[in-house]
Amino acid sequence: MEGWIAFARGPMFRAALAFMLLGLARHAVLTIWEVRRAYRRAGDKTIPYRKVFLATLMWLLPVGKLRQRLPYSLTTLVFHVAVVIVPLFLAGHIALWAAGTGVSWPAISNGLADILTTAAVAAALLLVVERAAAADSRVLSRFQDYAIPLLIALPFASGFLVRHPAWNPLSLDGALLVHVMSANLLLILIPLTKLSHMILLPTTQMVSELAWHFPPDAGR
């Protein structure tokens, strides 16, 4: 078991991280290329950059949209906040980065980490239930829309069990292996699934704006 854990935390993690970074870089390059291509072909090259910038901020910080389907919006907001903060600011994760790279940054408290971890797992389950219960979301949903929140919840739940051995029905090594392997799987899936929106979302408004500036040879 220790050999598998060492492999998962070492070579497999580095390979999964490299795959994620290269995959996201590919998405970014292709998006920038297509935006540039659309702009060059556009009949009207007047782009309201201020409007696009403000619209992007509204999408990244959707405070004004919380009133629309309030329970689902709040669940989504809590889920995203927890999923971003815990992996980046958990003291144990920062210690691993510091050991490998010498770079560290301030960590959140263990108590706050436990609260956010519990919130992430609960929100992931609620997102699946709410998506399945709402007819308009259910019609548009695909398998990955249900599977991805549950996959994201797995490293959070297993990490919580690693930190709290008294609540852990598995062995410590077993929970740690599930935690690391599921996290590696998520890194691999990020550029292959809708999770890639983490890098594509800031470009959404610009792409949408350019889509309305039809090329001169497009016809009516």
Side-chain angles (χ1 to χ4, degrees):
M1 182 70 74
E2 291 182 1
W4 280 106
I5 294 174
F7 172 75
R9 294 174 67 174
M12 185 173 182
F13 169 71
R14 289 191 292 270
L17 182 62
F19 184 86
M20 181 197 73
L21 294 176
L22 291 173
L24 290 180
R26 175 182 177 273
H27 279 302
V29 169
L30 289 178
T31 300
I32 293 171
W33 176 265
E34 290 300 326
V35 165
R36 179 176 176 272
R37 179 171 173 267
Y39 180 78
R40 291 181 64 184
R41 298 184 66 215
D44 177 10
K45 290 182 167 56
T46 304
I47 307 297
Y49 291 103
R50 184 174 182 275
K51 173 186 172 184
V52 170
F53 176 74
L54 293 176
T56 301
L57 285 182
M58 290 181 61
W59 275 100
L60 294 176
L61 303 170
V63 177
K65 296 180 179 293
L66 290 178
R67 293 187 299 272
Q68 303 172 10
R69 294 180 62 185
L70 184 60
Y72 183 81
S73 298
L74 287 176
T75 303
T76 302
L77 179 62
V78 170
F79 180 70
H80 281 83
V81 169
V83 164
V84 170
I85 291 179
V86 174
L88 292 180
F89 296 99
L90 185 68
H93 293 171
I94 296 173
L96 291 174
W97 281 106
T101 65
V103 178
S104 64
W105 51 90
I108 59 176
S109 67
N110 289 335
L112 179 57
D114 285 344
I115 293 173
L116 291 176
T117 297
T118 305
V121 175
L125 297 176
L126 282 173
L127 285 175
V128 172
V129 172
E130 290 170 353
R131 180 175 286 274
D136 52 346
S137 298
R138 189 170 61 247
V139 170
L140 299 174
S141 297
R142 296 176 293 171
F143 173 76
Q144 67 169 296
D145 295 312
Y146 297 104
I148 287 177
L150 299 179
L151 285 174
I152 293 175
L154 186 56
F156 281 84
S158 55
F160 186 87
L161 294 178
V162 170
R163 278 189 28 81
H164 298 277
W167 298 3
N168 186 3
L170 307 173
S171 66
L172 179 61
D173 285 348
L176 181 58
L177 182 61
V178 171
H179 177 65
V180 179
M181 291 291 282
S182 59
N184 288 338
L185 176 61
L186 279 178
L187 292 178
I188 294 171
L189 290 177
I190 283 173
L192 301 177
T193 64
K194 293 173 69 173
L195 291 172
S196 60
H197 77 274
M198 67 173 57
I199 194 171
L200 297 179
L201 186 60
T203 68
T204 301
Q205 297 304 310
M206 177 61 77
V207 172
S208 299
E209 184 68 34
L210 285 170
W212 290 101
H213 290 64
F214 299 112
D217 57 343
R220 294 187 61 83

